[in-house]
Amino acid sequence: MTTASEAPDTQAGREPDDATIGTILACQDLVFASYERVDAGQRASVADLFTGGGSHAIDDDVVTGREAVHDMMAARDAVPDRRTLHVVSNLRIRHIGRDRALARYALTLYLVSGPTAEAKLPQMLSRVDDVLVREDSQWLLHS
């Protein structure tokens, strides 16, 4: 069975309506903002971008709820020398319901901590599928 995230894009090449363009831009901004906060050392504030019942995973550690996301990210903030650069590429937003969207993208993580100015190799490359939900006219991360 093909899921919504695996279905072929039947809208490729078609001009979206104004509402869909607004949804796409808001969702793209949300994804970029979440990683900008992480890379700026404000990881705990990423929790503000989640729904109350949203979940977040780092490696095999999954937490649910805005407070749990906050605590997970605050623990990472507590490592003073941890500096990262997340590169989001191939970002596609699929509007899968009036108040629901799927953000699919490639994520490359660089650890830029340390005293050397040497070129860094990526620490991780992954494909990410985030479910985004609109609540009170604002798009939030759900999972």
Side-chain angles (χ1 to χ4, degrees):
M1 185 168 124
T2 302
T3 65
S5 64
E6 296 169 341
D9 186 359
T10 59
Q11 299 301 313
R14 295 186 187 192
E15 291 187 22
D17 59 29
D18 290 345
T20 301
I21 291 171
T23 293
I24 290 169
L25 291 174
C27 291
Q28 287 175 342
D29 183 57
L30 176 62
V31 170
F32 291 134
S34 69
Y35 292 110
E36 286 173 353
R37 289 180 183 202
V38 169
D39 293 340
Q42 301 168 354
R43 294 169 189 86
S45 73
V46 171
D48 298 334
L49 303 177
F50 276 81
T51 63
S55 62
H56 185 58
I58 296 178
D59 299 324
D60 293 330
D61 191 12
V62 180
V63 297
T64 300
R66 192 175 282 136
E67 185 174 333
V69 171
H70 177 274
D71 293 347
M72 171 192 262
M73 300 306 280
R76 294 177 86 78
D77 278 338
V79 181
D81 294 332
R82 182 177 176 84
R83 291 183 27 236
T84 58
L85 173 65
H86 292 79
V87 179
V88 174
S89 59
N90 301 338
L91 177 58
R92 293 285 306 231
I93 306 296
R94 290 205 167 72
H95 203 179
I96 56 175
R98 184 176 184 282
D99 294 322
R100 197 171 187 84
L102 175 71
R104 174 173 278 175
Y105 51 95
L107 180 65
T108 306
L109 168 65
Y110 295 88
L111 292 177
V112 293
S113 305
T116 67
E118 296 175 12
K120 304 291 184 178
L121 295 174
Q123 298 296 305
M124 179 196 70
L125 176 62
S126 64
R127 185 181 91 175
V128 178
D129 288 328
D130 283 335
V131 174
L132 312 177
V133 175
R134 181 175 20 212
E135 291 183 355
D136 300 323
S137 300
Q138 181 182 6
W139 286 93
L140 298 168
L141 296 159
H142 185 67
S143 62

